Amino acid sequence: MTDLLQPVDSRTREILVLGGGTAGFLAALSLRRRNSDITVRVLQSSKLGIIGVGEGSLRQLPGFLHDYLGIDPKRFFAEVGPTWKLGIRFKWGKGGDFNYSFSPQVDVVHPHPDLPQPLGYYCWNDMEDHCVTSVLMRNDLVYLKDKNGRLDIGDDYGYHLDNRRFAAFLERYALEQGVEIIDDLVTHVDVGDDGVERLNLESGNSIAADLFVDCSGFASLLLGKTLDEPFVSYRSSLFCDKAIIGGWERSAEPVHPYTTSETMDSGWCWQIEHEERINRGYVYASDFVSDDDAEAEFRGRNPLIEETSIVRFRSGRFENAFVKNVVAIGNSAGFVEPLEATAIAAICTSSRALAETLRTNHGRITPAVRREFNHHNARSWDTIADFLAVHYRFNGMLDTPFWQACRADVDLRGAERIVSYYQENGPSQLWRLTLEDPVCRFRLDGYYTLLLGQQVPHARLGEVTDAERAAWARLKEATRAHASHGFTVPEALAAVRAPEWQWQPEHFKAA
Ligand SMILES: Cc1cc2nc3c(=O)[nH]c(=O)nc-3n(C[C@H](O)[C@H](O)[C@H](O)COP(=O)(O)OP(=O)(O)OC[C@H]3O[C@@H](n4cnc5c(N)ncnc54)[C@H](O)[C@@H]3O)c2cc1C
């Protein structure tokens, strides 16, 4: 009989997280919260600092922070000052503006007895008024009023956060949770057969650990530079490689409850809403525009911009994120431009996966755990790149050399099957099981919203009847009426800051 008790890799007792940005502290806090018997230390360099950008989240973040990590939302609102994000307003595609909200928009079936098809079938040329969240976005409202005139807060929101304020909060919180924080600079790394042995520091000290979590940002000091893991580029689909970033102090502008993504001559520009500041960033392709010309276009559209800075990046991921005793999380593992603001969500997922694995396996990492972590990390980044490719291939708004090249040459990668299915059959859910990848953060609803929003033609396999047309009009009217009364972002912030406001678990259950 085979002995089921096979020897496994030895137990993890000490973890060193290299990097004190969003990734480093979210990873350290997850590990600490779920593995109280493991020592977790964070090593960061105040000389190098953090990236300072990364300000829009997906809808998983509030649940991750307040439910999984147990961070008190009242304190979070007081110390970090987030605003809410209900989705993205795209100034994109032939048809002009459309909303991509965190609530399902087009993949909704039978909301009305006279509408037999999913809503996407009725959305061609007309995406504005059938989804409550989308109407709220258009009206610059973040939440409905309940029957007592109070904030009716749901769980379909993400945050806009100031990156430095967020990381500084996480650092304070990590210290309180018993994470040791060291400020020093890694100068060289000792490597052995099992991976990294020790980090040698500028101070003359050195640090060893059983497991190293590489959160060193674009440097990818342990995974990329030290272990020399190969990089998988998304260059054939994503042509942009730089961002110019700037902003201004808010005056009378409304605080939108969404991120704006606006088509530019050689890329696109985000607008992120903070309570007292508006941040913008032009993501562009340096093969198509010089830094000076990009800055001129950026300032031309945003005359209030103060000082600017440029960040260079490459889109792609490392072949494996977990190699020997090094696991990379954050920009050190993979990166795509923030067109869908996915990086913080990827950090949360990886941090949680690592923390839960160590807890369940009593601190042991097996080869199959590394394999599955790597498979998930690769699928997660690849499916994000697939989805972004759809944004570039079909944006028919401008006829500049950059956009002509995108429409002609962008590789749709894994999105090809969903796109051709939609083109031949319309926004149908019938083959959801085979079309959707369970790892992909963007369901059929996301794909169909982007395709319909950009007015990518699809076959109509049946006629829309008069009864359906009338029902569609009634549905939109009812949605408009339902979403006409609500709270603006400043009103909602005042409400949650009031001493009597109590956050409830159902306000952030989507961890
Ligand atoms: C233009 C742009 C826009 C973005 N927008 C978004 C967005 O809207 N939403 C989103 O989710 N993400 C966005 N991101 C990604 C965002 O940057 C990350 O989600 C997030 O900030 C995590 O960064 P990080 O912790 O991996 O790296 P960093 O913040 O760069 O932290 C790296 C850490 O490693 C330390 N370090 C590095 N080398 C050494 C060394 N030798 N010795 C000691 N310490 C060292 C540094 O000091 C630092 O503490 C954006 C990125 C870019 C480039």
Side-chain angles (χ1 to χ4, degrees):
M1 206 168 100
T2 347
D3 182 3
L4 288 178
L5 293 174
Q6 302 284 336
V8 290
D9 292 14
S10 60
R11 188 162 169 205
T12 305
R13 291 198 167 76
E14 296 198 347
I15 297 179
L16 190 280
V17 178
L18 173 61
T22 306
F25 283 118
L26 288 179
L29 281 164
S30 308
L31 291 164
R32 179 79 196 144
R33 185 163 171 86
R34 302 293 288 163
N35 298 275
S36 53
D37 53 339
I38 297 179
T39 305
V40 180
R41 287 183 286 180
V42 171
L43 170 66
Q44 61 176 343
S45 161
S46 51
K47 271 191 191 166
L48 297 177
I50 63 172
I51 189 164
V53 282
E55 320 200 56
S57 86
L58 298 184
R59 66 189 280 277
Q60 290 83 357
L61 184 66
F64 184 82
L65 294 173
H66 309 312
D67 182 14
Y68 188 66
L69 293 184
I71 295 172
D72 173 14
K74 214 157 184 102
R75 176 175 175 194
F76 191 75
F77 271 79
E79 295 187 30
V80 181
T83 68
W84 293 276
K85 172 181 170 185
L86 299 183
I88 301 174
R89 179 138 187 96
F90 279 101
K91 295 173 180 261
W92 207 272
K94 267 203 184 114
D97 301 4
F98 64 95
N99 292 333
Y100 174 27
S101 73
F102 288 142
S103 320
Q105 275 175 265
V106 297
D107 195 9
V108 180
V109 200
H110 294 311
H112 188 288
D114 293 334
L115 294 174
Q117 302 279 12
L119 285 188
Y121 277 93
Y122 308 101
C123 281
W124 181 251
N125 252 342
D126 184 11
M127 292 216 10
E128 285 283 11
D129 286 343
H130 64 281
C131 159
V132 172
T133 309
S134 179
V135 178
L136 286 173
M137 286 166 71
R138 188 153 54 82
N139 292 341
D140 271 329
L141 299 173
V142 62
Y143 293 116
L144 295 169
K145 282 186 182 157
D146 69 14
K147 56 184 186 308
N148 302 315
R150 290 169 52 114
L151 205 57
D152 184 5
I153 215 160
D155 68 346
D156 267 0
Y157 62 88
Y159 286 144
H160 289 139
L161 305 147
D162 177 272
N163 178 268
R164 293 184 193 284
R165 215 170 146 185
F166 183 39
F169 169 82
L170 293 175
E171 179 172 351
R172 285 194 299 280
Y173 192 73
L175 267 176
E176 291 166 19
Q177 302 306 308
V179 174
E180 189 189 332
I181 300 174
I182 304 157
D183 188 355
D184 212 327
L185 185 78
V186 179
T187 50
H188 63 280
V189 181
D190 294 342
V191 190
D193 288 346
D194 297 329
V196 168
E197 287 180 347
R198 75 184 44 245
L199 308 183
N200 300 291
L201 308 178
E202 192 180 48
S203 61
N205 295 331
S206 65
I207 304 186
D210 303 315
L211 180 68
F212 291 87
V213 186
D214 184 352
C215 297
S216 62
F218 287 148
S220 196
L221 190 65
L222 305 183
L223 182 75
K225 292 214 173 82
T226 305
L227 298 185
D228 208 16
E229 182 63 17
F231 189 77
V232 178
S233 169
Y234 298 142
R235 185 88 184 147
S236 62
S237 301
L238 306 176
F239 301 163
C240 293
D241 57 358
K242 282 187 170 180
I244 179 163
I245 298 150
W248 64 90
E249 294 306 309
R250 183 184 291 287
S251 52
E253 302 95 336
V255 188
H256 301 310
Y258 53 82
T259 300
T260 307
S261 293
E262 179 183 7
T263 305
M264 300 282 277
D265 286 354
S266 304
W268 63 278
C269 191
W270 76 71
Q271 175 161 324
I272 296 233
E273 308 284 333
H274 300 299
E275 199 176 359
E276 273 137 23
R277 196 173 165 79
I278 293 174
N279 273 357
R280 300 221 69 181
Y282 180 6
V283 175
Y284 58 95
S286 61
D287 282 352
F288 291 83
V289 65
S290 68
D291 293 348
D292 286 349
D293 288 348
E295 170 132 15
E297 188 192 353
F298 187 46
R299 286 187 181 279
R301 296 231 197 165
N302 303 283
L304 295 176
I305 291 266
E306 295 155 356
E307 76 279 8
T308 57
S309 58
I310 290 184
V311 184
R312 180 183 268 283
F313 59 84
R314 59 177 180 168
S315 288
R317 59 160 171 94
F318 285 94
E319 204 165 290
N320 294 297
F322 206 153
V323 180
K324 297 182 175 174
N325 67 344
V326 170
V327 52
I329 296 180
N331 291 348
S332 56
F335 180 76
V336 297
E337 58 201 88
L339 189 46
E340 288 286 347
T342 41
I344 298 175
I347 291 168
C348 297
T349 306
S350 294
S351 300
R352 188 178 180 143
L354 183 63
E356 293 305 318
T357 298
L358 286 166
R359 182 184 173 90
T360 311
N361 285 7
H362 300 278
R364 289 179 173 87
I365 298 292
T366 64
V369 160
R370 282 192 202 88
R371 183 192 68 210
E372 293 309 311
F373 190 99
N374 287 330
H375 180 69
H376 185 275
N377 185 69
R379 289 305 303 144
S380 167
W381 283 113
D382 290 355
T383 53
I384 295 170
D386 297 347
F387 189 52
L388 296 197
V390 169
H391 299 55
Y392 282 106
R393 176 76 165 266
F394 296 109
N395 183 353
M397 184 177 263
L398 296 180
D399 247 337
T400 58
F402 171 79
W403 287 106
Q404 285 167 1
C406 287
R407 290 193 290 273
D409 299 331
V410 159
D411 172 10
L412 277 180
R413 305 168 38 89
E416 185 76 56
R417 283 179 48 230
I418 294 183
V419 169
S420 58
Y421 181 80
Y422 160 92
Q423 287 170 324
E424 291 171 21
N425 302 280
S428 154
Q429 312 176 328
L430 210 57
W431 289 91
R432 177 196 298 286
L433 266 179
T434 53
L435 289 171
E436 278 188 350
D437 182 328
V439 175
C440 179
R441 293 172 192 282
F442 307 98
R443 321 307 292 179
L444 278 184
D445 187 73
Y447 271 95
Y448 292 164
T449 300
L450 260 293
L451 291 164
L452 288 161
Q454 293 177 97
Q455 300 199 338
V456 179
H458 65 77
R460 281 186 179 279
L461 302 183
E463 287 303 310
V464 177
T465 64
D466 288 345
E468 287 173 74
R469 259 183 249 286
W472 177 239
R474 283 198 301 278
L475 176 80
K476 290 197 305 173
E477 202 180 305
T479 311
R480 272 195 300 269
H482 183 66
S484 60
H485 300 293
F487 288 81
T488 62
V489 173
E491 288 166 350
L493 284 173
V496 303
R497 283 175 184 149
E500 66 275 14
W501 173 259
Q502 302 276 340
W503 286 97
Q504 303 298 333
E506 60 268 24
H507 293 152
F508 38 79
K509 63 178 179 230

